[in-house]
Amino acid sequence: MTADDRPKILIVDDDEAFRNLVVRLLTQRGFEILEARTTRDANVLLARNKFVLLIVDYKLPDVDGMTWIQQLRDRNINVPVAFCSGIWCDQRTFNWLRNILRVALVLNKPIDPQLFVEVIESVLPPPPKMTVTQEVEALARVDKSIIQIEYEQILNKFPGSSLAKSELEGIINSPDTQTELLDRLKMLRRKLEVEEAVNVAKVKYLGELGQTWPMLTKHVRQYKDDHKNRAAYENAVGLAHKLRGTAGSFHINKVSHAAGKLEDMLQSLDPTDDLSSEVIWSEIFRHLSEGEISIREEREALGSFTINENVVQLARVLFVGSSPLLQALATSGDITTACECSVVSTLQTALATVRNTRFNAVVIGPPLSNHPELLKFTQEVRISEENQQVPLLLISSAEQDFSYVQLKYAGISEFLSETVSPVDLVAAVNRLAGEQEQYKSRVLLVDDDEVLTNFVSRVLRSNNYVVDSLNEPIRVMEKLYEFEPQLLVLDVIMPGLTGYDVCRLIRGDIRWKDMPVLFLTAKSNQEGRANAFRAGGDDLLSKPVLTEELLARVSTYLQVAKLKQVQAEIDPATNVFNRNTFLRRAEKLFSANSDNYSICLFAIDQFDKIGQQYGEFACETVVATLGKLLRTRFQPTVLKGRWGEKGFALCFADEEEGAIAQLMELLLEEFSAMTFAGQHGETFHSTFSIGVSRAPEDGSIFEQLRDRAVQKLLDNIHERLTRVK
Amino acid sequence: MKTTEEKKILLVEDDDNIRLITRTSLEGLTSWKVIEANSGHVALGLADAELPDLILLDIMMPGMDGPTTFSHLKENASTGAIPVIFMTAKVQTQEVEGYIKLGAAGVITKPIDPMLLPEQITSILEVVGK
């Protein structure tokens, strides 16, 4: 093989400085780069050479890059292309490039030199290794600067490795020839890469150990309890044997040692000899606990496993009531395996509990389901900091003092009979808890590495985030619309589109302009940080991902995002959604429930008169009070929003027309009974008018329904005014 | 067998993690290519089809264990001459001698050190003259 057999790359770009940069970067990596200023030159070169890749600019002096690629494809020339342009392309252009022109990579200028090499190489087969004689020839030409470059690259790429530190010193200060030096540096680099790969695998293995070791303990115990249980014995010995070899190979030496001891001892155990086996059993259990402690220490040393990311979070359920029926439910096996249950017997203690602890569901049962204070209790739950959105379930007999509508008004989501089975109760809790997901923070992961996305989503899910992942970066805009995340975790190196470019794409859309973006990168040095910020990222996470760091960063950025979201979506005077947000959500709810759907609009009557007669402050109080009333009534899935200066809006899915009318009556009844104070201490009452529209009766598109509700409200106001006259 | 030669190695091991470390080490530090088998049965088929230059064989595996796999390999004319190195987490002197007498090239003990594994293999093969 001669030097001319190096894999060839053709760069087609009229910018000489850029061509020079690319030539310099890729020649170093063992490629031969041919240059063309125009597509005409490029065609000539293409006819005479075989290329592994074309790097093509968009703006060229003769034909533009995209047209030229199209021409190549038409001529059935299918060589991989990296499209590299200074003009950012939109998603349609991108799709065109990827799907029609089959471009392997879309890169945006200015390029980051190191990243450029990395992504270019990611789409190419590695350059063939040179034979020994060629290597000798090549090495004879080694000059000092190459050694310097190799040395610095190792230092930069493996900043934390003690192997790198200790060996680099030795190599640089050795009296070897330069060829030998370079050889040793190259070997060191390969070793460091192996070390890094093994360390990544070790993190995963430590996760597995958290399950394997308890399994070993279980088998050993089973065998101790029953000496005839050969299966348990074989399992224990087999597992111990395996752990000895594997844990040791990851340099988890204490665990390997403990497993080795266990294997030996189990094999030397003679169950019929009571005296000696007594001693050996105590040793066995000592090693079992030593292994367990060592695993924990290793995990803590890695700083990544202080929480068990494999635990499925049980729904927390509060049972309120003292009847034997409720007690039996709360302690039944079906429920305790699926839920973490607490039981309180009075509304008062229940209230104290919901104020302090967050629950996924509250189940109210006899005798409290008939308690006169029930409606007051549910209202207090909605005011509590922790459980504003908690679903309330009611278990009651057929003889109820409260009507169905009254209970609906109180915000009960689910009605169950006294004969409800534990399984049905669990199903109801899980369904309602699932609906609550919309109040949790949502994180989207974009990474082509499924192992990593699985790991990261598991960690985030176990910490109460809703997580979705996307392995194809190009679908990101679609996914954003569909999933509506509050935070994005974005890998830098992905096929087709780099994370930096995905970020620029997102930032171009007003809706996602402010969403926090965290980059995942193996390059967390100063340059990597600079690139992340330049691309519009908020922060970066270094690979391998450490659980603690991940959680800390995600939670910080989500808090900020949440504050921003509240500012953007919530009406500050009443704490319900502002008009725009209400409309957006109501429309979304409509698209899923267009067969049974209602919009209710309210306007406070004679609002201007209240202002003139009782003062501005009284006006504010009336509005705030009605807002609070709406917030504390109806189940959480009912949308509540502000509608203009004196108005509000509600949106129900799956509620019958008759029930809606009665609910509105109850609301008006409660509101008009409230007493307000004017500026001079005089008291007054207030009322409101309502306009309701329903699907499918009043329309089949959202705008129709909205306008119909407005019309009905105006009609009702008008009617009231004529009546007053 | 030199680390710079392009050789094919069949790795027979039921533990995913050990396979991962071994492959990472050998492919990272040498020009060898690693083919993996997670059981003795798979290994027999692969050995016959691929005719590797070396077989690394775990001793304790569920189903067909290492020594049984080994004897089948030796019985087959096309795979009989391929050098085999046993890998095991537990080695007693007599056992090693037993395997060598059977015709194994050598034994590597687990835990393995990924940095040293290629050297271990080359020195074992040097002794048996491969």
Side-chain angles (χ1 to χ4, degrees), chain B residues 4-61:
Chain B
T4 49
E5 288 171 337
E6 290 190 11
K7 296 283 182 185
K8 210 190 281 178
I9 297 185
L10 174 61
L11 170 63
V12 191
E13 164 72 63
D14 63 313
D15 185 317
D16 300 349
N17 288 296
I18 292 286
R19 283 207 310 277
L20 178 69
I21 298 178
T22 310
R23 173 194 277 276
T24 309
S25 157
L26 297 185
E27 294 196 339
L29 301 179
T30 73
S31 310
W32 305 339
K33 186 168 164 21
V34 177
I35 328 165
E36 298 179 17
N38 61 4
S39 75
H41 279 288
V42 176
L44 291 180
L46 269 179
D48 199 49
E50 297 275 342
L51 296 177
D53 300 287
L54 170 71
I55 298 172
L56 295 177
L57 184 56
D58 185 29
I59 288 181
M60 210 158 146
M61 290 186 291

Side-chain angles (χ1 to χ4, degrees), chain A residues 409 602 629-630 663-671 688:
Chain A
Y409 184 58
F602 308 85
L629 186 60
L630 291 178
L663 285 170
M664 295 305 108
E665 263 170 46
L666 284 175
L667 186 66
L668 184 56
E669 195 181 305
E670 186 169 13
F671 180 66
F688 55 77

Side-chain angles (χ1 to χ4, degrees), chain A residues 64-78:
Chain A
D64 78 74
M66 281 175 78
T67 314
W68 185 61
I69 299 169
Q70 179 74 66
Q71 288 167 0
L72 293 182
R73 298 308 187 218
D74 290 344
R75 283 160 55 200
N76 225 357
I77 299 176
N78 291 315

Side-chain angles (χ1 to χ4, degrees), chain A residues 129 163 187 190-191 194-195 197-198 201 205 208 238 241-242 244-246 248-251 256 263-264 267, chain B residues 4 6 14-15 17-18 20-21 24-25 27-31 58 60 62 88-90 110-115:
Chain A
K129 294 197 175 77
L163 180 65
M187 194 60 211
R190 294 173 77 167
K191 278 190 179 171
V194 169
E195 187 188 42
V198 171
Y205 179 66
E208 288 172 23
H241 175 85
K242 189 163 283 187
R244 171 190 239 175
T246 313
S249 302
F250 281 114
H251 293 295
S256 166
E263 186 191 2
D264 294 343
Q267 282 175 336
Chain B
T4 49
E6 290 190 11
D14 63 313
D15 185 317
N17 288 296
I18 292 286
L20 178 69
I21 298 178
T24 309
S25 157
E27 294 196 339
L29 301 179
T30 73
S31 310
D58 185 29
M60 210 158 146
T88 176
K90 199 182 163 200
K110 290 188 248 178
I112 54 170
D113 183 334
M115 295 303 153

Side-chain angles (χ1 to χ4, degrees), chain A residues 128-321:
Chain A
K129 294 197 175 77
M130 285 186 267
T131 64
V132 181
T133 42
Q134 280 164 6
E135 230 164 68
V136 172
E137 263 173 40
L139 290 182
R141 296 192 299 266
V142 166
D143 67 45
K144 213 167 179 168
S145 68
I146 295 185
I147 293 180
Q148 188 63 31
I149 290 170
E150 184 73 24
Y151 175 81
E152 278 168 13
Q153 280 185 343
I154 291 178
L155 265 187
N156 283 334
K157 200 160 175 214
F158 305 96
S161 166
S162 52
L163 180 65
K165 281 199 191 79
S166 65
E167 296 230 343
L168 274 179
E169 281 307 300
I171 293 172
I172 289 302
N173 296 323
S174 80
D176 290 351
T177 66
Q178 291 189 344
T179 317
E180 285 165 336
L181 276 182
L182 189 62
D183 246 350
R184 289 180 62 181
L185 280 173
K186 280 190 170 161
M187 194 60 211
L188 173 61
R189 194 191 178 109
R190 294 173 77 167
K191 278 190 179 171
L192 289 167
E193 277 161 5
V194 169
E195 187 188 42
E196 197 175 64
V198 171
N199 278 336
V200 172
K202 179 178 174 179
V203 174
K204 187 171 152 271
Y205 179 66
L206 273 171
E208 288 172 23
L209 266 184
Q211 280 146 12
T212 342
W213 199 267
M215 189 88 80
L216 175 64
T217 312
K218 195 180 104 191
H219 291 317
V220 171
R221 278 189 200 286
Q222 280 173 347
Y223 178 58
K224 184 170 192 295
D225 293 344
D226 175 10
H227 290 162
K228 291 193 186 67
N229 190 344
R230 290 305 293 177
Y233 174 78
E234 298 292 343
N235 283 337
V237 172
L239 214 48
H241 175 85
K242 189 163 283 187
L243 284 165
R244 171 190 239 175
T246 313
S249 302
F250 281 114
H251 293 295
I252 310 173
N253 296 329
K254 282 185 183 166
V255 177
S256 166
H257 178 77
K261 285 279 177 204
L262 283 167
E263 186 191 2
D264 294 343
M265 284 177 174
L266 284 168
Q267 282 175 336
S268 66
L269 200 61
D270 175 6
T272 54
D273 180 353
D274 284 347
L275 196 66
S276 70
S277 71
E278 189 68 23
V279 180
I280 296 180
W281 274 119
S282 76
E283 277 294 287
I284 285 176
F285 281 103
R286 187 171 68 80
H287 285 297
L288 275 174
S289 52
E290 267 177 16
E292 197 182 313
I293 293 165
S294 307
I295 292 170
R296 205 177 311 144
E297 283 172 355
E298 281 282 342
R299 289 172 160 206
E300 275 163 19
L302 262 171
S304 76
F305 278 98
T306 39
I307 31 160
N308 188 348
E309 77 278 4
N310 285 320
V311 171
V312 180
Q313 289 243 323
L314 297 179
R316 297 173 68 102
V317 180
L318 179 67
F319 287 86
V320 188

